[in-house]
Amino acid sequence: MTDKTPAKNESLLHELQARLAELEAQNAELAAARARYFDLYQQAPVGYLTLDEAGLILEANLTAATLLGMPLDALIGHSFFQFVLSEDWDACRLRCERLFATGQPQSCELQLLKPEEERFWARLEATVAQREDDGPVCRCVISDVTAYKETDLRLRQLSTAVEQSPVSIVITDAGGAIEYVNPKFTQLTGYTLEEVRGQNPRVLKSGELPAQVYEELWQTITAGGEWQGELYNRKKNGECYWETASISPLFDATGRITHFVGVKEDITERKWADEALRESEARYRDLAASIPGAIYQFHIDCEGAYTVSYMSDGAEHLFERPLSELTDSRLLFSDVHPDDLEGLQQSITEAARQRCRWVHEFRIVLSEGRIKWLRASSNPGQTAEGGLRWNGVLLDITERRQAELALRRSEAMLQRIFEILPVGLWFTDAGGKLLRGNPAGIEIWGAEPLVPPSEYGVFKARRLPGREEIAPEEWALAHTIREHRVITDEVLEIDAFDGQKKIILNYTAPVLDDTGELQGAIVVNVDITARKRAEEQLEHYAAELQRSNQDLQQFAYVASHDLQEPLRTISGFARLLAERYQGQLDEPADEFIIFILEGVGRMRDLLQSLLAYSRVGSHELRPYPVKVGEVLRQVMNDLHVALAESDTEITHDPLPTVWADPVQLAQLLQNLIGNAIKFRGAAPVHIHISAECRHDRWKLSVSDSGIGIEPQYHEAIFEPFRRLHTAEQYPGTGMGLPICKRIIARHGGRIWVESVPGRGSTFYFTLPVPSGRA
Ligand code: ADP
């Protein structure tokens, strides 16, 4: 063993050295690896913890310390439960116990609490490890899953939203095959997910929409866009419905379309409601257009600013402006008459304050200054924003205003007339009670006794001409109230309340309404006391005059007639004296005899004229329809010698038949034509007779081309014995025209002259048209 030993030992030594070197190398390598692994352990993306059975932290890596928010040194020796929320302690302990009892790995997710009260979601995975020297320990991997947890929550919320969504949701793959539909889809269409999975959504197509709609839809979404529109689809039970659809593609990370999502809402009811709304709006528009005037809406906000939100078409007609201008809030009051603007705005403010119904009438000014009256009414209502909404109606009340104005004017006029009317006027109510009298009425009666019929007895009067007293129920007014009749021309002698006796004309009339119902009565009293007295006076004078006229006529007649006798005696003896003693007396005596004879002749002419004049008045007038032409012929016949001698020409118009006494008419024409012949100048005279009808009279005229008459004598020549010339110049007595005047007066007519001296005269006279003929 010895000789072998050194060599053996040496090789052993070598081997040992080699092994040592190897071991040292291995050791160095191990140390390096250990350092590397320690780093890895410390810096691992998850935390490592080693806990004992009580939960005390025995070991931890840096990641775990960072997660738990503590320095690594401080962490060792801490209880892990310190980081667990108290409500999770029980569950945690239970899992720990189970881990150590069964050796089964345990995992859970729970919220941990850092020392700064900050929380985070952690995932814990625990296994049991057996230590060589000591009991078992728990090795726990801890990771922060907060981000994952939040995403998970969001996803959960989203999927719940999709599931619970009140709109239907359809998800298809990129080829359009349905992968998912939500419960609302099933509820709406009747198709379950199982029934439509793998199908194309066109199973819902109603066939009522044009193919173009679907083409467009598909083009939009396959190009990556979102399509929105309305679809008309069919349910499983065949019923059709409207839906709005919004379909958009989903992309993967590379931008490739992987799915399409459709969100659809059933709008059938809304469609019907829209339709109904459209219809009702159209109806309302029609209504708004057909009512007179316009409907409007404007708002007043809290700051008092106006916004016109609606004006019906009728406003264009009212304001004579296009609607676009009328809904411009800045122009709202621009047409209002300047005098009415303040009142209008004040009334709006007042109604806004009181929140009461608002009615206001005002003027607007249109083109060329024309004025229109409008009546605006509204019920102001509060808006959600705290402002006011004015919905109202505008009406054109110009005509009504004008009528009112006219009514007011005529009322004022009537009132004025009532006051100044010179006749008495009284009004009663339907029961006959006197309501009021005008000043003239009160003056007539000397009081204003506003009494009912039962007290008509206060009026004392007698009916003329019989003078019978009038009983209260016999008053004309009482009759009018009872019988609704008009009573006229009642002449009464009244005892006025001031004691005077008066004569009045009494007139009563009922006032009826449109239906003939009695509204009241009016009484008209005309005080004719003065007139009656004057009439009586006049009658008296007329009688007097007639008597003295008759006396005068009698006297004239008697005088002219009786004077003829002594005149004839004088003229007889004067003629005898001339025959027997002419030339036997001296020259002046002969001359005197001639003077006597001339004077007697003139006296005879005068007496005869006077006699003719008084006969016109004393003889009875016998008028009847007389042809003027015939009378003229007879007169011309009587005057033919004078006409021939004077070379006078007579012409005439067609002559009428008049109502006249033919003898007097002949006398008239004879006088006028005789004068025309007599008062001619050097040249032969031309006489023309014409006639013209005026209402119930004939106006006849005799015109000549004679010497004419100065204007100042046109009246005087009709007075008796009035002459403008001496008997030497033109013979005559001055009684011709007075006789003419008397004849015409007896026929109820008039005679006058128009003349230009040197040019001729025209005598006009009027005579009645025979009744029934012109
Ligand atoms: P007399 O013819 O006898 O003079 P009248 O009474 O007939 O009396 O006329 C009164 C006067 O009126 C006349 O004297 C004459 O001056 C004037 N007169 C009447 N007729 C005419 C006439 N046709 N032309 C001019 N003067 C007239």
Side-chain angles (χ1 to χ4, degrees):
M1 176 139 168
T2 328
D3 24 297
K4 266 172 101 187
T5 308
K8 245 184 165 179
N9 280 352
E10 200 162 318
S11 80
L12 261 174
L13 191 65
H14 274 295
E15 200 176 323
L16 272 175
Q17 280 173 336
R19 288 289 294 272
L20 191 67
E22 197 179 323
L23 271 174
E24 273 173 2
Q26 271 182 356
N27 230 357
E29 200 175 314
L30 256 174
R34 188 186 153 86
R36 219 171 29 245
Y37 283 118
F38 186 73
D39 269 3
L40 267 178
Y41 168 72
Q42 290 292 14
Q43 307 294 338
V46 292
Y48 293 113
L49 291 169
T50 305
L51 311 175
D52 70 5
E53 271 185 275
L56 216 62
I57 299 172
L58 302 173
E59 272 172 19
N61 68 349
L62 213 59
T63 310
T66 312
L67 276 177
L68 294 172
M70 278 187 122
L72 189 53
D73 303 349
L75 188 63
I76 307 299
H78 255 84
S79 167
F80 180 73
F81 284 96
Q82 205 178 320
F83 300 98
V84 177
L85 300 178
S86 57
E87 61 258 39
D88 292 338
W89 284 349
D90 287 349
C92 261
R93 277 213 179 85
L94 214 66
R95 279 183 185 273
C96 252
E97 282 166 19
R98 199 178 300 151
L99 178 77
F100 284 104
T102 63
Q104 289 276 321
Q106 299 288 320
S107 66
C108 70
E109 284 167 6
L110 78 170
Q111 275 194 305
L112 295 183
L113 196 64
K114 294 188 190 183
E116 298 88 39
E117 294 292 309
E118 195 185 322
R119 289 176 185 201
F120 72 100
W121 275 96
R123 180 169 175 79
L124 301 175
E125 285 163 81
T127 49
V128 183
Q130 199 65 46
R131 282 184 300 182
E132 296 138 27
D133 45 356
D134 241 322
V137 288
C138 162
R139 296 217 189 275
C140 186
V141 178
I142 173 169
S143 51
D144 184 350
V145 293
T146 309
Y148 155 78
K149 268 284 177 188
E150 279 171 2
T151 312
D152 182 57
L153 184 70
R154 237 184 358 260
L155 269 176
R156 233 179 263 280
Q157 284 169 340
L158 276 175
S159 80
T160 312
V162 168
E163 289 283 316
Q164 303 296 321
S165 163
V167 295
S168 37
I169 293 172
V170 180
I171 302 176
T172 72
D173 63 16
I178 295 175
E179 284 188 359
Y180 171 82
V181 295
N182 72 343
K184 179 70 192 180
F185 176 92
T186 306
Q187 187 198 335
L188 171 65
T189 63
Y191 291 111
T192 63
L193 176 58
E194 288 68 40
E195 283 172 313
V196 291
R197 186 177 283 131
Q199 299 239 42
N200 189 290
R202 78 173 68 94
V203 289
L204 298 171
K205 237 165 121 172
S206 66
E208 302 281 338
L209 287 183
Q212 198 192 340
V213 175
Y214 297 98
E215 279 165 27
E216 228 177 77
L217 184 162
W218 190 242
Q219 270 172 18
T220 310
I221 60 173
T222 50
E226 183 186 338
W227 183 88
Q228 284 185 335
E230 290 183 358
L231 294 173
Y232 191 56
N233 284 344
R234 195 183 299 281
K235 299 182 184 178
K236 189 176 169 186
N237 65 7
E239 200 180 295
C240 287
Y241 67 99
W242 277 100
E243 61 179 11
T244 55
S246 166
I247 303 169
S248 39
L250 290 182
F251 305 95
D252 65 8
T254 65
R256 208 163 40 90
I257 294 175
T258 58
H259 293 87
F260 294 109
V261 181
V263 178
K264 292 124 73 78
E265 190 181 1
D266 180 6
I267 54 161
T268 315
E269 273 186 19
R270 201 205 307 162
K271 271 262 178 197
W272 290 127
D274 279 357
E275 188 65 24
L277 196 69
R278 258 198 301 283
E279 265 177 33
S280 94
E281 193 170 305
R283 225 183 4 252
Y284 164 73
R285 262 180 196 289
D286 271 2
L287 207 67
S290 63
I291 66 159
I295 294 176
Y296 65 85
Q297 182 184 65
F298 65 81
H299 290 87
I300 309 177
D301 69 13
C302 306
E303 269 84 56
Y306 291 87
T307 322
V308 182
S309 40
Y310 177 73
M311 277 277 178
S312 71
D313 298 348
E316 288 198 336
H317 181 69
L318 278 189
F319 289 89
E320 301 179 11
R321 271 177 188 272
L323 271 187
S324 55
E325 290 178 18
L326 294 171
T327 46
D328 183 338
S329 311
R330 289 162 304 170
L331 299 175
L332 186 62
F333 297 113
S334 61
D335 292 336
V336 176
H337 191 288
D339 294 350
D340 294 356
L341 186 60
E342 203 185 318
L344 173 66
Q345 287 175 333
Q346 264 174 12
S347 81
I348 292 178
T349 314
E350 187 56 22
R353 203 173 57 76
Q354 297 193 356
R355 299 275 193 283
C356 62
R357 184 170 154 69
W358 174 72
V359 179
H360 195 77
E361 294 183 2
F362 58 96
R363 286 166 295 173
I364 55 170
V365 185
L366 305 174
S367 60
E368 291 140 28
R370 282 172 303 126
I371 299 285
K372 207 177 246 185
W373 273 96
L374 297 187
R375 178 181 197 271
S377 56
S378 178
N379 277 319
Q382 188 117 26
T383 64
E385 298 77 41
L388 276 182
R389 182 192 310 107
W390 293 71
N391 291 339
V393 181
L394 276 170
L395 282 179
D396 180 352
I397 52 157
T398 314
E399 270 183 29
R400 197 201 77 195
R401 273 278 178 167
Q402 281 168 350
E404 274 175 13
L405 197 69
L407 203 69
R408 267 206 298 278
R409 279 198 194 127
S410 62
E411 205 180 338
M413 205 156 75
L414 281 175
Q415 178 61 29
R416 187 83 193 105
I417 292 173
F418 179 73
E419 280 161 13
I420 63 169
L421 206 65
V423 299
L425 208 59
W426 299 85
F427 291 121
T428 79
D429 65 14
K433 180 182 183 312
L434 286 155
L435 298 176
R436 62 188 180 133
N438 71 344
I442 297 168
E443 173 154 0
I444 288 173
W445 281 95
E448 191 182 18
L450 304 179
V451 293
S454 57
E455 293 171 39
Y456 282 177
V458 298
F459 297 103
K460 302 283 180 227
R462 291 153 296 281
R463 200 171 276 127
L464 293 182
R467 306 190 89 78
E468 65 275 16
E469 288 284 341
I470 302 172
E473 65 282 2
E474 277 310 308
W475 272 94
L477 180 58
H479 281 286
T480 296
I481 295 291
R482 278 199 305 267
E483 300 141 31
H484 300 190
R485 84 189 155 90
V486 176
I487 296 173
T488 56
D489 297 335
E490 202 181 36
V491 182
L492 310 176
E493 184 187 60
I494 62 165
D495 298 334
F497 292 94
D498 55 10
Q500 292 190 50
K501 277 201 184 345
K502 289 177 184 170
I503 296 169
I504 63 165
L505 209 59
N506 196 41
Y507 169 99
T508 59
V511 178
L512 307 174
D513 68 8
D514 293 346
T515 62
E517 198 73 22
L518 186 78
Q519 298 296 302
I522 57 165
V523 181
V524 180
N525 293 156
V526 186
D527 185 350
I528 54 167
T529 316
R531 197 174 86 196
K532 271 279 164 195
R533 303 259 145 89
E535 263 174 28
E536 281 167 15
Q537 200 80 4
L538 215 62
E539 270 166 30
H540 173 73
Y541 288 145
E544 282 280 287
L545 207 65
Q546 201 175 2
R547 205 175 50 249
S548 76
N549 248 355
Q550 272 170 357
D551 288 353
L552 256 174
Q553 212 155 307
Q554 190 63 24
F555 169 76
Y557 181 79
V558 170
S560 49
H561 184 268
D562 291 358
L563 284 175
Q564 303 237 19
E565 187 50 41
L567 195 62
R568 263 198 295 278
T569 311
I570 297 170
S571 97
F573 283 107
R575 239 190 325 271
L576 267 177
L577 210 60
E579 279 168 16
R580 290 198 192 164
Y581 301 105
Q582 185 111 45
Q584 292 175 36
L585 301 171
D586 59 6
E587 208 169 302
D590 281 350
E591 223 173 291
F592 294 159
I593 292 170
I594 290 171
F595 287 162
I596 293 172
L597 280 174
E598 278 176 4
V600 166
R602 183 137 181 80
M603 181 80 147
R604 190 182 53 238
D605 288 350
L606 285 173
L607 285 177
Q608 272 171 1
S609 298
L610 197 61
L611 200 59
Y613 179 78
S614 58
R615 271 188 189 136
V616 173
S618 61
H619 276 68
E620 195 192 343
L621 193 70
R622 292 208 186 88
Y624 53 86
V626 179
K627 289 184 174 145
V628 178
E630 279 180 12
V631 179
L632 178 66
R633 247 193 313 283
Q634 174 207 324
V635 169
M636 282 166 63
N637 206 26
D638 293 347
L639 292 172
H640 77 277
V641 178
L643 285 170
E645 277 176 6
S646 58
D647 204 9
T648 300
E649 182 197 11
I650 297 193
T651 56
H652 63 84
D653 288 347
L655 294 172
T657 299
V658 295
W659 184 253
D661 182 320
V663 177
Q664 294 198 345
L665 181 60
Q667 197 175 359
L668 173 94
L669 286 176
Q670 185 149 7
N671 280 353
L672 294 179
I673 293 170
N675 278 352
I677 297 169
K678 182 161 68 177
F679 298 105
R680 67 178 189 274
V685 75
H686 173 220
I687 300 172
H688 182 77
I689 295 139
S690 54
E692 188 185 330
C693 192
R694 290 277 176 91
H695 309 296
D696 57 343
R697 320 243 105 197
W698 278 103
K699 184 173 112 177
L700 291 126
S701 66
V702 177
S703 55
D704 63 53
S705 56
I707 60 169
I709 306 158
E710 295 284 344
Q712 66 269 32
Y713 302 118
H714 288 184
E715 300 264 328
I717 52 173
F718 292 96
E719 292 166 11
F721 304 119
R722 190 63 188 256
R723 306 203 68 238
L724 305 180
H725 310 276
T726 59
E728 282 72 37
Q729 285 172 303
Y730 296 100
T733 58
M735 284 305 287
L737 288 179
I739 289 172
C740 290
K741 188 176 175 182
R742 202 158 208 209
I743 290 170
I744 289 302
R746 293 209 72 193
H747 284 80
R750 206 162 75 80
I751 184 166
W752 70 100
V753 68
E754 285 174 11
S755 171
V756 179
R759 303 271 298 273
S761 315
T762 302
F763 284 85
Y764 294 96
F765 56 94
T766 59
L767 284 171
V769 167
S771 46
R773 299 184 49 182

